[in-house]
Amino acid sequence: MKDQAEGLRNLVQIQNDKGTKTTRIITVTSGKGGVGKSNVTLNFALALQSQGYKVLVFDADLGLANIDVLMGISSKYNLYHLLKKEKTIWEIIQKGSNDLDFIAGGSGFNDLLRLTEDELDYFAEQVMQLNGYVDFIIFDTGAGLSKETLKFILAAEETFVVTTPEPTSITDAYAIIKMVNSMGHDVSFKLIINRVTDRKEGKQTADKIALVAKQFLGIQVPTLGFVEDDVSVSKAVKKQVPFTIAFPNSLAARSLQSLVVDYIKGYHVVDTSSPGVKGFLNKMMRLLK
């Protein structure tokens, strides 16, 4: 692992940003499955794109990778082909709904933890090319805190935790925040409350998690927003079309669009002080020591 980290350090240090804009790295996770995390990730990305930003979705779910399924697309290549140096980063990027760039999930993320120095150098060299190519890279991770998910949470600039108002979902969302915090890591967590009856229920759910996190962990966990419960979402899943495209005027689509507009207002998306892909790789390097 030390050899891997040294190789990645040397590669990142010699990269030239060439004056391009930086790319913001976001990880999306959840404490448990079945909360609509991947659906939120995909439609969040599409909503960002509709606001004029270029987005790449990276399906980092080892067990239930389904970003491509939600768009009705059969993926030919994924991260595994990149790590084995069979394909370049540009060859594994595919076009999804509304020409959204995405990289399909698969077993490759497990392989990331045991790369040779040469393979790690190739991976870093390829991923560095994305800096400035897109405004956002969004990693959709698996539910729960696996070793792979933890690395992406720690390396990203911010992590969105998706939950629902159900008690078990709230408990598990708080648990993942608590576990990462207990390891001594400073992570920027933000909440997205999915499937809310109304904004009042969403706020009550978010406030419960935020209050406990502040009281027992001493950290602030702000809320990005809420996505309303809507039968249109399940209809869109069956059609294999993202709900913001299939039913753009639905409650879920409108609340998701509003969430994204608020997100854009609150953050400087293209910021020269942002660590971008280079910062992401530097953090990954330290985690591989």
Side-chain angles (χ1 to χ4, degrees), residues 2-22:
K2 289 184 178 180
D3 289 340
Q4 291 182 352
E6 183 65 28
L8 183 52
R9 180 188 297 110
N10 293 336
L11 179 63
V12 172
Q13 285 179 342
I14 65 174
Q15 289 293 334
N16 181 2
D17 288 339
K18 300 177 182 179
T20 60
K21 62 186 177 184
T22 55

Side-chain angles (χ1 to χ4, degrees), residues 24-44:
R24 192 172 190 86
I25 310 293
I26 299 171
T27 288
V28 184
T29 192
S30 63
K32 65 188 292 289
V35 300
K37 171 184 56 62
S38 294
N39 225 339
V40 168
T41 301
L42 174 59
N43 286 278
F44 183 92

